[in-house]
Amino acid sequence: MARGGTDIGFSCRCGALTGTLKSVDPDEGTHALCHCASCRRALDLYGIPGTRAEGVGIFQTTPDRIAIAQGAEHLGVMKLSPKGLYRWYAKCCGTPMFNTARGPTPSFVGVQTSCLSETVPLGPVLAEGFMDTKPRHIGLARMIWRFYRRALAARLTGRWRQTPFFDADGAPVAEPELAPRPEATP
């Protein structure tokens, strides 16, 4: 299967962890904004300002499109709950960078658009979720359909094995940490 598209660089805030999001094509990913409490909490843990109304920019695609050029040793992973998503970050400076399932399947990665060198090749935002308005979701059915289509194609072609986040046995390349629970407000 030939791939076209644009390669986009990514980097943590300090530049120690860098790489490329390969062959970016709006048809092979979904540009989305997430307004959920979990995405907001993940950014708060690393001191990244923002509001829930702004949303967290994510490009959903498959992990075989991620190539780490330098600083793979800085890749860390946390989860907000025992069964939560894996939220990959740069340990060197605390930059949240990627979200994955807790294993190599389904073949999925959500790339934080804030760590990309540019976002125009991602195409327009096609979905927004967990908004505080009516409707609460925009483009959810399309996002889910595109997710399953990409995951199935990666499974059928064997591309699901090409991931910088899990080893050949399916274990994460970094030990997952459980994030501290948020402090209760009185």
Side-chain angles (χ1 to χ4, degrees), residues 47-143:
I48 297 176
T51 66
R52 183 176 164 131
E54 292 170 357
V56 176
I58 297 171
F59 185 69
Q60 296 179 347
T61 190
T62 51
D64 60 296
R65 293 181 184 274
I66 303 293
I68 295 176
Q70 71 177 21
E73 69 275 11
H74 298 297
L75 199 58
V77 61
M78 74 160 173
K79 48 191 179 171
L80 299 179
S81 67
K83 294 185 179 184
L85 279 176
Y86 280 179
R87 295 175 182 272
W88 299 85
Y89 66 99
K91 293 185 290 186
C92 46
C93 60
T95 302
M97 300 183 77
F98 312 102
N99 300 328
T100 68
R102 292 178 302 142
T105 59
S107 187
F108 160 81
V109 64
V111 180
Q112 300 274 334
T113 60
S114 59
C115 68
L116 296 173
S117 61
E118 62 177 319
T119 59
V120 172
L122 306 178
V125 171
L126 297 179
E128 288 193 60
F130 304 100
M131 298 179 296
D132 290 331
T133 61
K134 297 278 183 185
R136 289 196 30 88
H137 309 290
I138 297 171
L140 185 64
R142 180 189 326 183
M143 182 177 71

Side-chain angles (χ1 to χ4, degrees), residues 9-73:
F10 63 79
S11 175
C12 66
R13 290 183 279 193
C14 73
L17 176 57
T18 65
T20 304
L21 176 58
K22 302 181 297 186
S23 303
V24 174
D25 181 332
D27 290 334
E28 293 299 324
T30 303
H31 192 182
L33 288 176
C34 186
H35 302 269
C36 80
S38 294
C39 282
R40 184 76 255 138
R41 180 174 167 224
L43 293 184
D44 289 344
L45 285 169
Y46 296 108
I48 297 176
T51 66
R52 183 176 164 131
E54 292 170 357
V56 176
I58 297 171
F59 185 69
Q60 296 179 347
T61 190
T62 51
D64 60 296
R65 293 181 184 274
I66 303 293
I68 295 176
Q70 71 177 21
E73 69 275 11

